[in-house]
């Protein structure tokens, strides 16, 4: 049941909203999905892309993950930052902003490669995806709305997004999902809990502070979503 001041919606409705907004825009339309780690951003981004492509019957949308700009493990290790992986300064934010600008302003049809992130290798994959005829870009990640001098570079992201959603999920749910993800990724349950408590949840709180800057706040509701 919808709570007061919120509206239930579905993946199909959310995708239709993107299509309406993107219609008639010159150049590519860039949708941002922000939210804490484990909120379900990658899952929502895949859902939106697949809905858009299915409804259009062609490759209308593709995902441009912020996670593709994780600094390489070797670099993080050399700088003594491997344990801090996932914090705002462990990403190549300049590379991300440059790539957003390029994908946004390159005429569709001309290939633009975009790096993805491998959860098996724990490393970015150069040109993991290539934008071609797609005119809608779904970029998703933790720090899309970060805007403070303590985290330089990130404030250049927002002006390159046409609309930004914040995916809001209770901390307890996030904690449990992240522990499971780290165990799947090879950590022991004890090490997973330490990583989540000391690193991921700190990042999650940093991201939560950016929620008011989103155009739309989306929550999971039963089988669908709810807009506040
Ligand atoms: N709407 C949802 N309902 C239930 N589980 C979900 C939902 N969205 C994501 N998940 C699960 O939560 C975990 C994290 O999702 P993911 O999309 O990888 O999050 P993020 O990209 O924000 O870190 C995954 O195991 C995924 O299957
Ligand atoms: Mg993700």
């Amino acid at each position: 049941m919808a709570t007061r001041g919120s509206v239930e919606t579905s993946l199909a409705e959310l995708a239709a909203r993107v299509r309406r907004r993107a219609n008639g825009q010159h150049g590519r339309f860039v949708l941002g999905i922000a939210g804490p780690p484990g909120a379900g951003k990658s899952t929502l981004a895949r859902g939106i892309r697949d809905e858009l492509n299915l409804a259009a019957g062609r490759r209308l949308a593709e995902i441009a993950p912020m996670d593709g700009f994780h600094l390489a493990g070797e670099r993080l290790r050399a700088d003594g930052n491997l344990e801090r992986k996932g914090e705002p300064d462990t990403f190549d934010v300049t590379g991300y902003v440059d790539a957003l600008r390029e994908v946004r302003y390159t005429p569709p049809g001309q290939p633009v490669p975009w790096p993805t992130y491998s959860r098996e290798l724990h490393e970015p994959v150069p040109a993991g995806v290539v934008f071609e005829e797609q005119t809608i870009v779904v970029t998703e990640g933790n720090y899309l709305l970060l805007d403070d001098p303590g985290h330089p570079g990130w404030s250049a992201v927002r002006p390159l997004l046409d609309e930004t959603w914040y995916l809001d999920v209770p901390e307890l749910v996030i904690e449990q999902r992240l522990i499971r993800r780290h165990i799947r990724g090879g950590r022991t349950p004890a090490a997973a809990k330490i990583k989540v408590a000391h690193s991921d949840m700190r990042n999650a709180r940093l991201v939560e502070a950016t929620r008011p800057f989103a155009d739309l706040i989306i929550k999971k509701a039963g089988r669908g979503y709810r807009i506040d």
Side-chain angles (χ1 to χ4, degrees):
M1 208 176 81
T3 52
R4 200 142 51 102
S6 74
V7 185
E8 285 195 25
T9 185
S10 64
L11 208 49
E13 284 178 44
L14 287 167
R17 173 190 168 103
V18 177
R19 201 155 55 152
R20 277 197 306 275
R21 304 221 159 199
N23 243 336
Q25 158 141 333
H26 186 69
R28 289 199 169 97
F29 180 90
V30 185
L31 169 70
I33 301 178
K41 302 178 298 296
S42 301
T43 306
L44 177 59
R46 283 195 296 272
I48 294 289
R49 175 197 60 192
D50 294 348
E51 280 284 340
L52 284 167
N53 291 349
L54 195 69
R58 62 192 169 91
R59 297 197 302 170
L60 185 62
E62 188 49 277
I63 300 169
M66 185 200 96
D67 271 357
F69 291 88
H70 268 289
L71 292 173
E74 194 183 348
R75 161 86 182 273
L76 292 171
R77 200 173 297 110
D79 295 344
N81 286 333
L82 196 57
E83 269 315 297
R84 298 199 309 107
K85 183 168 177 170
E87 294 188 20
D89 67 333
T90 65
F91 290 86
D92 172 14
V93 60
T94 308
Y96 178 50
V97 168
D98 288 349
L100 275 176
R101 198 174 293 116
E102 189 185 358
V103 77
R104 190 185 161 117
Y105 294 115
T106 300
Q110 244 168 270
V112 178
W114 190 282
T116 53
Y117 182 75
S118 163
R119 289 210 174 273
E120 287 75 46
L121 304 173
H122 305 286
E123 293 286 358
V125 179
V129 66
V130 179
F131 282 82
E132 294 182 81
E133 74 265 38
Q134 296 92 340
T135 52
I136 297 177
V137 178
V138 184
T139 189
E140 54 96 3
N142 298 347
Y143 302 123
L144 272 47
L145 293 169
L146 203 56
D147 182 10
D148 73 72
H151 302 287
W154 289 99
S155 61
V157 172
R158 181 65 195 274
L160 294 167
L161 309 177
D162 291 289
E163 171 157 316
T164 309
W165 300 350
Y166 182 95
L167 188 52
D168 197 12
V169 173
E171 272 195 15
L172 203 62
V173 175
I174 289 174
E175 249 175 300
Q176 288 162 353
R177 286 182 182 171
L178 290 171
I179 290 169
R180 279 203 300 273
R181 179 193 281 173
H182 287 312
I183 293 171
R184 272 202 309 273
R187 282 185 159 90
T188 65
K193 282 185 187 155
I194 289 172
K195 173 75 177 163
V196 170
H198 292 124
S199 175
D200 294 332
M201 293 318 288
R202 201 164 44 144
N203 298 336
R205 290 188 190 111
L206 186 64
V207 175
E208 273 164 23
T210 70
R211 179 175 45 199
F213 308 132
D215 299 302
L216 211 64
I217 296 173
I218 297 178
K219 294 183 170 155
K220 178 92 182 76
R223 296 171 132 211
Y225 292 93
R226 210 171 67 216
I227 298 176
D228 277 0

